């Protein structure tokens, strides 16, 4: 018989929850059911529950205590407690929000004016005197160097507070079909590691004619500027597959790969590009590879500040400083500048006439010499019986430069300035004030903002074996108007020296060409698209089932190009 007064041990009732974790719903008392609980995570760190040792320490972060940094050294913005509140990684239903904002309170300063002045001197020191003689903001005058600390610190720190800018999303250069198949993806980091020795070039034939460069334009400066005039000429930019000379070489089996200098230079400088582009690859049944372009594509327009830290915006608004408007303006400037700086009466004809001319346009042709050159891409350690890999490239020269009794060929290009204060200018100096006295700084800025464009121009001049690259500096007559332009100066470079100045590796460029050619030779017969991802440094290779998809895009691009020409006229 047990004694009821003695302590007893009774096992508690265990309720098993077979349908989940935690107590079952039928076990929880009625008054505690459907009450939310604080979420938690295993990644949360447990820190202090409460800290009353320095309740005002956080105010020191805003330098409210003018006496200096006081209090506990481990409780300021340089050594802040890294432990987060328990459950801070989730949206808590138990978070406390202030019903009144503390910013609504104001501090009443009842000090006298003399005391305020002394406190101001103690805090700012000599900065008060600096602010009194603060120089006017803007561009410094010609030849002036920053003579105080304020002017040096007033320069913009590129990238500072730009980390929170939304990433710009661009559209692809071609509409990708649903039935297109991705064959390969190549990162630009892999392309930058490729190398191949510069192949030996062989001249095959020359076609067309070139005018002699007018050396009077070498004496133009900012004080002796010259207006840019519109000159109507006809220049053919035929694609590789439609070139009658290349079609003849394909029938004669003179090479394995065929391309133009525009396509080849884009591939060699692919790692510098930012804007999207695409190249059409056609593989025939007999193993021939044609690297082609789409009419009206990226090749027919000149980009502006492509490599700038903040390139021009591609907005839907019809503004003169938008991305599309600046590309059309730069293309218009390059076409007319290359025609204006030439002497129309002094002509040097090549062995063969222009292969694209017709009887109607024969008298209106622009100065252009087509030089067909062959490059050997065979491996240096290839076996004797292995077939050679040769590529025939159609290159172009724009002018002939006479030096005494000798004449050499040159390519003519133009850099353009739109508005140094507009968005997308890339921190460029105003050319009308700085071009003559700070030519090196202007060129360095252009090499940074237009690295891809200038690299392509240098490669095109090297492929054509041109001895000079003539660069013109063209600016708007009025920065707010894009219809009138002035020539502020010209400069001549040797293409290889210009490429070395830009840190452009030709061996890396030929390594990219060699890798692309080897990849294309292994593809079966068909049509392919090599496209740069619009938002990532990746090169993708697509297989196109039929060329009708490309024809639709070509028709759309040609309509847009006709609209642009109508606006320029």
């Amino acid at each position: 018989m047990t004694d009821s007064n003695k302590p007893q041990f009774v096992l508690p009732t265990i309720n098993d929850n077979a349908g989940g974790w935690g107590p079952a719903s039928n076990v929880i008392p009625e008054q505690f059911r459907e009450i939310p609980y604080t979420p938690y995570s295993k990644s949360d760190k447990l820190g202090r529950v409460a800290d009353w040792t320095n309740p005002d320490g956080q105010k020191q972060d805003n330098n409210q205590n003018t006496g200096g940094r006081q209090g506990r050294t481990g409780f300021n913005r340089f050594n802040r407690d890294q432990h987060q509140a328990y459950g801070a990684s989730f949206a808590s239903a138990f978070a406390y929000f202030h019903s009144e904002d503390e910013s609504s309170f104001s501090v009443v300063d009842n000090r006298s004016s003399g005391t305020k002045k002394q406190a101001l001197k103690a805090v700012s020191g000599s900065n008060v005197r600096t602010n009194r003689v603060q120089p006017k903001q803007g561009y410094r005058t010609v030849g002036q160097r920053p003579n105080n600390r304020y002017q040096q610190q007033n320069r913009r720190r590129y990238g500072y507070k730009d980390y929170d800018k939304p990433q710009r999303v661009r559209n692809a250069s071609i509409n990708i079909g649903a039935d297109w198949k991705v064959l390969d993806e190549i990162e630009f980091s892999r392309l930058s590691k490729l190398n191949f020795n510069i192949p030996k070039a062989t001249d095959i034939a020359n076609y067309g004619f070139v005018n002699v460069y007018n050396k009077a334009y070498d004496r133009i400066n900012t004080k002796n500027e010259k207006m840019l005039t519109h000159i109507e000429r006809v220049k053919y930019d035929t694609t590789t597959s439609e070139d009658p000379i290349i079609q003849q070489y394909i029938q004669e089996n003179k090479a394995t790969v065929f391309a133009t200098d525009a396509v080849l230079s884009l591939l060699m400088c692919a790692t510098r590009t930012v804007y999207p582009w695409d190249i059409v690859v056609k593989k025939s049944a007999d193993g021939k590879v044609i690297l082609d372009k789409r009419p009206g594509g990226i090749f027919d327009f000149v980009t502006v500040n492509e490599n700038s830290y903040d390139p021009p915006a591609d907005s839907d608004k019809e503004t003169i400083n938008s991305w599309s408007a600046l590309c059309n303006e730069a293309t218009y400037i390059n076409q007319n500048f290359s025609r204006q700086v030439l002497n129309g009466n002094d002509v040097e004809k090549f062995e063969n006439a222009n292969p694209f001319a017709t009887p109607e346009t024969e008298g209106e042709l622009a100065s252009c010499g087509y030089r067909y050159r062959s490059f050997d891409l065979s491996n240096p350690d290839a076996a004797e019986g292995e077939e050679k890999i040769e590529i025939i490239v159609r290159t172009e020269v724009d002018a002939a430069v006479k030096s005494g009794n000798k004449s050499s060929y040159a390519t003519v290009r133009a850099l353009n300035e739109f508005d140094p204060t507009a968005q997308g200018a890339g921190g460029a100096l105003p050319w009308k004030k700085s071009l003559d006295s700070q030519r090196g700084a202007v060129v360095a800025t252009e090499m940074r903002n237009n690295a891809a464009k200038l690299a392509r121009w240098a490669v095109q001049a090297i492929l054509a074996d041109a001895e000079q690259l003539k660069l013109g500096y063209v600016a708007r007559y009025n920065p707010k108007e894009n219809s009138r332009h002035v020539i502020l100066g010209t400069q001549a470079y040797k293409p290889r020296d210009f490429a070395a100045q830009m840190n452009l590796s030709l061996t890396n460029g030929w390594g990219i060409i060699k890798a692309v050619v080897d990849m294309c030779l292994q593809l079966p017969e068909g049509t392919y698209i090599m496209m740069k991802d619009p938002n990532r440094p990746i090169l993708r290779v697509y297989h196109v089932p039929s060329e009708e998809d490309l024809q639709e895009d070509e028709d759309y691009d040609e309509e847009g190009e006709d609209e642009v020409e109508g606006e320029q006229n």
Side-chain angles (χ1 to χ4, degrees):
M1 184 173 179
T2 60
D3 189 0
S4 60
N5 295 327
K6 292 182 180 180
Q8 299 178 4
F9 177 75
V10 181
L11 291 175
T13 305
I14 299 176
N15 298 283
D16 184 19
N17 186 2
W21 180 86
S25 59
N26 57 354
V27 179
I28 302 176
E30 188 68 27
Q31 63 270 24
F32 297 127
R33 293 183 182 180
E34 298 181 357
I35 294 180
Y37 60 91
T38 305
Y40 63 91
S41 174
K42 291 183 178 180
S43 61
D44 290 334
K45 297 180 180 180
L46 292 177
R48 299 181 183 88
V49 176
D51 188 1
W52 293 277
T53 58
N54 189 11
D56 296 330
Q58 291 182 349
K59 294 182 179 180
Q60 297 177 11
D61 293 347
N62 298 328
N63 293 332
Q64 294 182 5
N65 189 352
T66 57
R69 300 186 182 274
Q70 299 178 356
R72 188 160 48 87
T73 58
F75 200 63
N76 54 30
R77 61 177 176 174
F78 297 103
N79 193 7
R80 187 175 296 157
D81 186 9
Q82 299 298 326
H83 295 291
Q84 297 180 354
Y86 191 68
S89 59
F90 291 85
S92 177
F94 300 94
Y96 173 72
F97 299 97
H98 291 279
S99 59
E100 295 182 1
D101 190 2
E102 294 181 357
S103 61
S104 61
F105 294 92
S106 61
V107 179
V108 179
D109 191 356
N110 55 2
R111 293 180 298 174
S112 62
S113 60
T115 308
K116 291 180 181 179
K117 290 182 180 179
Q118 292 179 0
L120 183 61
K121 290 182 179 179
V123 174
S124 59
S126 60
N127 289 338
V128 178
R129 293 189 298 271
T130 306
N131 292 334
R132 291 177 182 174
V133 295
Q134 177 178 341
K136 296 181 179 180
Q137 296 186 4
Y139 301 101
R140 61 176 182 267
T141 57
V142 175
Q144 179 183 356
R145 298 180 64 86
N147 53 3
N148 54 36
R149 186 177 180 182
Y150 176 82
Q151 287 185 344
Q152 293 179 357
Q153 293 181 350
N154 194 32
R155 297 178 181 176
R156 163 145 187 168
R157 294 166 58 186
Y158 298 121
Y160 179 63
K161 289 185 178 180
D162 291 340
Y163 60 89
D164 57 346
K165 283 188 175 181
Q167 185 178 5
R168 189 169 299 177
V169 179
R170 299 183 176 90
N171 297 324
S173 59
I174 186 174
N175 296 326
I176 302 174
D179 54 347
W180 294 13
K181 183 180 179 182
V182 180
L183 301 181
D184 196 2
E185 288 188 356
I186 308 173
E187 295 84 1
F188 281 5
S189 57
R190 293 168 53 191
L191 295 178
S192 60
K193 299 177 182 178
L194 300 175
N195 284 291
F196 188 76
N197 294 331
I198 300 176
K200 184 179 180 181
T202 304
D203 292 334
I204 300 178
N206 298 328
Y207 291 81
F209 68 93
V210 290
N211 294 106
V212 177
Y213 176 76
N214 188 358
K215 293 185 177 181
Y217 284 88
D218 291 338
R219 297 187 291 271
I220 292 180
N221 51 36
T222 55
K223 298 180 181 180
N224 185 26
E225 60 188 26
K226 191 175 183 63
M227 293 294 297
L228 181 71
T229 59
H230 177 68
I231 302 176
E232 282 289 345
R233 291 289 185 272
V234 177
K235 182 179 179 180
Y236 291 94
D237 192 17
T238 312
T239 60
T240 310
S241 56
E242 296 177 353
D243 190 332
I245 307 301
I246 290 183
Q247 292 177 358
Q248 178 183 350
Y249 292 156
I250 293 176
Q251 295 177 358
E252 296 176 358
N253 198 17
K254 284 195 173 184
T256 310
V257 186
F258 302 88
T260 61
D261 58 348
V263 176
L264 220 60
S265 62
L266 182 61
L267 280 175
M268 294 177 71
C269 307
T271 56
R272 293 173 177 251
T273 58
V274 177
Y275 293 150
W277 49 266
D278 59 90
I279 293 176
V280 182
V281 180
K282 297 180 181 179
K283 180 71 177 295
S284 60
D286 55 352
K288 298 292 189 297
V289 176
I290 299 178
L291 301 178
D292 210 344
K293 67 169 187 175
R294 295 183 301 108
I298 188 64
F299 299 92
D300 298 332
F301 296 93
V302 181
T303 60
V304 178
N305 288 1
E306 178 179 357
N307 301 94
S308 174
Y309 66 92
D310 187 17
D314 188 12
S315 59
D316 297 334
K317 299 179 181 179
E318 294 295 333
T319 59
I320 62 175
N321 294 329
S322 63
W323 174 78
S324 56
L326 289 175
C327 288
N328 295 330
E329 182 182 356
T331 306
Y332 171 81
I333 290 173
N334 269 270
Q335 291 176 353
N336 291 278
F337 176 79
S338 61
R339 301 165 186 172
Q340 184 175 346
V341 298
L342 305 180
N343 189 356
N345 298 325
D346 198 350
V347 180
E348 286 193 8
K349 295 184 178 181
F350 287 168
E351 298 87 23
N352 304 290
N354 193 318
F356 314 111
T358 60
E360 292 80 10
T361 61
E362 190 172 355
E364 301 178 355
L365 293 175
S367 172
C368 185
Y370 301 97
R371 308 184 70 184
Y372 292 85
R373 312 187 75 206
S374 174
F375 298 89
D376 188 6
L377 296 180
S378 303
N379 295 322
D381 54 350
E384 295 182 358
E386 188 175 348
E387 184 180 358
K388 287 187 177 182
I389 301 176
E390 291 190 358
I391 178 172
I392 291 181
V393 185
R394 186 191 73 204
T395 63
E396 298 179 4
V397 291
D398 300 316
V401 180
K402 285 189 175 181
S403 178
N405 296 329
K406 298 181 180 179
S407 62
S408 58
Y409 299 117
T411 57
V412 182
R413 301 290 187 269
L415 293 169
N416 65 298
E417 179 198 40
F418 52 99
D419 188 357
T421 62
Q423 186 269 334
L429 298 172
W431 289 3
K432 293 184 179 181
K433 295 181 180 179
S434 307
L435 187 59
D436 291 342
S437 59
Q438 296 176 300
R439 179 70 62 90
V442 172
V443 174
T445 304
E446 291 299 316
M447 286 185 176
R448 182 184 70 244
N449 295 336
N450 297 284
K453 177 173 68 174
L454 291 175
R456 286 187 59 195
W457 289 351
V459 169
Q460 285 178 334
I462 293 173
L463 291 176
D465 196 22
E467 295 187 7
Q468 290 187 22
L469 171 61
K470 289 283 187 179
L471 281 182
Y473 299 91
V474 182
R476 290 178 180 174
Y477 184 79
N478 182 4
K480 306 301 180 183
E481 182 185 357
N482 65 345
S483 59
R484 294 187 299 170
H485 302 84
V486 291
I487 303 174
L488 301 178
T490 58
Q491 193 168 0
Y493 292 95
K494 292 184 177 180
R496 293 187 181 274
D497 296 343
F498 189 69
Q501 189 175 351
M502 293 187 62
N503 197 20
L504 176 63
S505 175
L506 296 177
T507 56
N508 172 247
W510 282 110
I512 296 174
I513 297 299
K514 175 64 175 175
V516 170
V517 168
D518 291 344
M519 178 189 66
C520 294
L521 291 176
Q522 297 176 2
L523 296 175
E525 179 185 359
T527 305
Y528 305 87
I529 286 288
M530 297 178 58
M531 186 190 72
K532 180 198 174 294
D533 188 277
N535 302 303
R536 299 173 58 192
I538 292 179
L539 182 64
R540 290 191 177 91
V541 182
Y542 292 90
H543 175 254
V544 182
S546 62
E547 295 188 14
E548 296 179 358
D549 299 335
L550 301 180
Q551 294 293 337
E552 294 178 359
D553 289 317
E554 289 176 5
D555 296 339
Y556 174 78
D557 291 336
E558 287 177 359
E559 291 177 1
E561 191 175 0
D562 294 339
E563 293 178 359
V564 169
E565 291 179 357
E567 292 177 359
Q568 294 289 355
N569 294 332

